[in-house]
Amino acid sequence: METASRLAVAYAINALWQLPLLVLAAEMMLRLQGRTPGKTLHRVWLGCLFLGLAMPAFSFLHLPRHVLGSGLIHRGIAAIPQTLDGKKSLNLAFLGGLQETSAHKPQNANALPSLISESALFLYLGSVLFALSRLAWGLIKTKTLLHSAEAMRLTSEVQEVWDSCLALFQITRIELLSSSKLGGPATVTWRDPIVLLPADFRVEQVNDMTAVFCHELAHVRRKDFLFNIVIEIFSVLIFYHPAFHWIRRRIQESRELACDDMAADAMSGRNIYARSLLRLTEKMLSSAVVPQPDCALGIFEGEVLEKRIMNLLENESKQSRLRTLTSLALGFCLLLGTCVLSTNLGLEPVNAQSSAQNNSAPAGWFLTGSKPSSYQTSVDQAVTQNGQPSAYLKSMVPVTDGFGTLMQQISASDYVGKRVRLRAWVRSQDVGR
């Protein structure tokens, strides 16, 4: 459980600074690329999302398995020392209590990072639970919508349009239903693909109905509903991050642009499809629109109508090969640099734990050395010597360029000219060479 908590906190903290870098790299690459087909845009943003899900864990890759467990790397045990002349013995025994002396007070300030770490874990888990409940509620509403749907009754003219669109997209197994709880055309996949239309949906022009069918069948052909569910499931890990919602919106926009491209090609005219889209929008805005479930994908999903119309009407300009290669090379370098930074500068699970765990030195002792943050110390009541508890020193990282030590400071004025003997019992466990 402790390991899982450390992993979650490290993952969430890494994502805070890594996702914005990833979004910046993707935006710069696409801006340099210029006009890009919707299908390519969608793939870029999908790749950006899944890279953003994986990147916060890159810093975990070089950690050995035992570091994420509870195994000990080094354990030291000391007992009571004594002087030879017996006049003033020096008691260095571990009395089982935690240090409360003035020499150790600076270490107690680390209780604040412990509180921050626990708060971060609580907030992160809360965002994950909220995202999961939101997804579950969307699926429940979609199921309720399907239960209220009925078979769509088509006129002979509309039936002919429907059959021709099915033939264009080479789709056979699909249902066409209507529902009074729907505000606009939508597509879901519940076992088999389903195209849903509002119960009072009536279109006068054949081209407009063709545009509706082609757009929804493009969603079916691309399996957008299923991919959207997969995206929502995995994205609960970074739902709290504003950069995720930026990526999510870009995915929605590019998905609609890709479907518009497919629908326009099927209708053999981007201008015809754009005019139909505008008429459909005017018709839907003139009536009371019922919000559709979050999981359903409709022709007006994404709320980027202006951008879609401009994409349809914009003349395709052929990009120079030099500009394309330059943008791709720059984008690749930015992404590679972000991945390298994420691997080398990302927070590791062993460092994401509460630093207050290093505060539990025995009374009168303190943890120091060139790398004290790489070690943990406390009192072990289970392992004793001469009835006294022991202390342990445990490495928290597999490799370090420094050392940690457990020590205390005394005045040597009372022992000038005297010989002192220090005895100790030491035991090691899982110490590597």
Side-chain angles (χ1 to χ4, degrees), residues 174-251:
I174 190 170
E175 292 184 81
L176 182 62
L177 305 177
S178 65
S179 174
S180 58
K181 297 183 178 181
L182 197 64
T187 301
V188 298
T189 300
W190 214 265
R191 294 182 182 177
D192 292 327
I194 300 171
V195 172
L196 291 162
L197 298 177
D200 58 349
F201 187 72
R202 298 291 183 271
V203 175
E204 290 78 11
Q205 298 192 28
V206 175
N207 283 339
D208 295 350
M209 185 59 75
T210 304
V212 171
F213 288 154
C214 287
H215 187 91
E216 300 307 322
L217 291 177
H219 278 303
V220 174
R221 184 65 181 272
R222 287 166 41 85
K223 297 181 173 61
D224 283 335
F225 182 86
L226 297 178
F227 279 116
N228 187 52
I229 296 297
V230 173
I231 290 171
E232 294 292 332
I233 291 174
F234 282 101
S235 296
V236 301
L237 297 175
I238 54 175
F239 186 83
Y240 72 96
H241 205 302
F244 157 71
H245 295 278
W246 180 279
I247 296 174
R248 185 168 176 261
R249 181 169 180 81
R250 289 290 191 235
I251 289 175

Side-chain angles (χ1 to χ4, degrees), residues 165 169 182-188 194-198 201 203 205-220 224-225 252-264 267 270 272-285 289-309 312:
C165 290
F169 285 90
L182 197 64
T187 301
V188 298
I194 300 171
V195 172
L196 291 162
L197 298 177
F201 187 72
V203 175
Q205 298 192 28
V206 175
N207 283 339
D208 295 350
M209 185 59 75
T210 304
V212 171
F213 288 154
C214 287
H215 187 91
E216 300 307 322
L217 291 177
H219 278 303
V220 174
D224 283 335
F225 182 86
Q252 292 175 346
E253 292 177 358
S254 58
R255 180 169 58 210
E256 294 307 306
L257 293 176
C259 289
D260 285 343
D261 290 340
M262 291 182 67
M267 292 183 66
R270 301 176 72 87
I272 296 175
Y273 178 77
R275 285 194 291 269
S276 296
L277 196 59
L278 286 173
R279 284 194 295 267
L280 288 168
T281 305
E282 183 180 2
K283 178 178 176 59
M284 299 308 301
L285 292 177
V289 177
V290 181
Q292 66 185 31
D294 294 335
C295 293
L297 303 179
I299 191 171
F300 301 116
E301 195 254 348
E303 300 179 356
V304 285
L305 179 64
E306 182 179 358
K307 188 173 183 178
R308 293 168 61 186
I309 296 297
L312 290 167

Side-chain angles (χ1 to χ4, degrees), residues 120-132:
L121 178 62
F122 176 79
L123 293 174
Y124 178 67
L125 293 179
S127 72
V128 171
L129 291 176
F130 175 78
L132 287 173

